[in-house]
Amino acid sequence: MTLNELNAFFNGFLHNEQYASDISRNGVQVQNSAPDTKQITRVAFAVDACFETIERTIAAQAQLLFVHHGIFWGGCDTVTGTHYNRIACLIKNDIALYASHIPLDANNPYGNNFGMASRLGIKNAEPFGTWRGMTLGAIGNLEAPLSADELINKAFPNGNHSLHLLPFGKPLLSRIAIISGGAGDDIDQAIEAGADAFITGEIGHEQYHVAEENGITVIAGGHYETEMVGVQLVKAKLEAETDVEGVFLDVPTGL
């Protein structure tokens, strides 16, 4: 497939045009030398477009890097320093870059939040949580209530999470609200929605007392760990529906 064909494939279910309020430049952020003709046979998937993932894309002999966090946000940055090094490495090696920020958080079923809901066994999860007018999270009921520890083990089966637990909810948790990444401030939306537990990536000092006073359990499993879900689901979809090979580049930050 060419870059233009892959762009159409990804946007066919991510629907970037529906997320105009997203500060990320979703879609192709850096093209290759021949987007209409050059064949892409392998796509690397990662959470972040950093120098390490670009170098590992080269080592994996992939021609496209698909990420959740791209290198362009809002206005155009000057191409200097770290920004230059990343862009130069992509261009010199003729590697394209595709980013999907809020579209990949929000997508059902291939996004971070609905993907986490599926991992937990939540059936019929519904959209939940808004940011800049966009709904990006998921909420639903477990088939059988779980303790906080049981919920953590299902949410992060590899055990490589940077975990912060505020165990202020019921002993057994049923209704679970999920927003990946840096969504600690959205605890108020989880409380309003009647959630027993809120799963996110990061939680701040100021949310501790909010959680305690409202009797809700908060599981902050790490920004990276909660946002590696979607890229792996998109990888699986690409491999199942096309002849293009995918490779996941695991570059955890511990945060």
Side-chain angles (χ1 to χ4, degrees):
M1 299 179 71
T2 67
L3 178 60
N4 286 346
E5 288 171 336
L6 281 165
N7 182 37
F9 173 82
F10 292 135
N11 195 50
F13 62 92
L14 291 172
H15 304 296
N16 293 328
E17 70 282 354
Q18 297 180 9
Y19 299 92
S21 298
D22 190 1
I23 59 175
S24 174
R25 299 294 184 90
N26 293 306
V28 176
Q29 292 195 339
V30 178
Q31 72 168 52
N32 60 17
S33 59
D36 285 323
T37 58
K38 181 178 180 179
Q39 291 297 306
I40 293 174
T41 59
R42 182 175 296 166
V43 177
F45 290 84
V47 174
D48 303 304
C50 58
F51 198 73
E52 181 175 354
T53 55
I54 294 170
E55 285 195 312
R56 288 179 60 178
T57 299
I58 298 167
Q61 298 182 340
Q63 302 92 10
L64 170 63
L65 174 58
F66 181 108
V67 297
H68 181 49
H69 301 135
I71 59 177
F72 291 102
W73 303 84
C76 183
D77 293 332
T78 56
V79 184
T80 58
T82 298
H83 200 49
Y84 168 82
N85 292 335
R86 294 171 178 173
I87 295 171
C89 193
L90 289 165
I91 293 174
K92 288 176 182 178
N93 291 278
D94 203 17
I95 293 170
L97 175 66
Y98 186 104
S100 181
H101 185 227
I102 299 301
L104 191 61
D105 284 324
N107 190 264
N108 182 8
Y110 302 106
N112 292 316
N113 298 307
F114 279 92
M116 178 66 76
S118 178
R119 181 183 290 181
L120 295 174
I122 296 174
K123 294 183 177 179
N124 302 316
E126 299 176 349
F128 155 79
T130 60
W131 180 72
R132 296 192 177 194
M134 300 172 290
T135 303
L136 65 161
I139 191 168
N141 296 320
L142 300 169
E143 289 190 300
L146 297 173
S147 68
D149 287 342
E150 291 170 330
L151 193 60
I152 290 167
N153 290 335
K154 291 195 73 171
F156 308 103
N158 63 12
N160 295 330
H161 47 76
S162 174
L163 179 69
H164 294 278
L165 172 65
L166 305 182
F168 299 130
K170 306 171 185 176
L172 292 177
L173 309 166
S174 180
R175 185 161 176 80
I176 313 300
I178 307 163
I179 303 180
S180 64
D185 286 340
D186 294 319
I187 184 174
D188 291 334
Q189 295 190 65
I191 293 166
E192 185 177 348
D196 299 325
F198 178 44
I199 296 176
T200 187
E202 303 175 40
I203 197 76
H205 168 82
E206 60 272 19
Q207 281 91 46
Y208 179 97
H209 296 293
V210 175
E212 183 180 32
E213 291 166 19
N214 287 276
I216 187 172
T217 289
V218 178
I219 298 169
H223 198 129
Y224 178 86
E225 288 294 324
T226 57
E227 297 200 326
M228 62 188 288
V229 180
V231 289
Q232 294 186 81
L233 290 172
V234 173
K235 170 184 173 292
K237 179 178 175 66
L238 177 69
E239 292 181 313
E241 298 181 14
T242 74
D243 294 328
V244 179
E245 182 183 356
V247 57
F248 175 61
L249 308 177
D250 190 14
V251 185
T253 61
L255 300 170

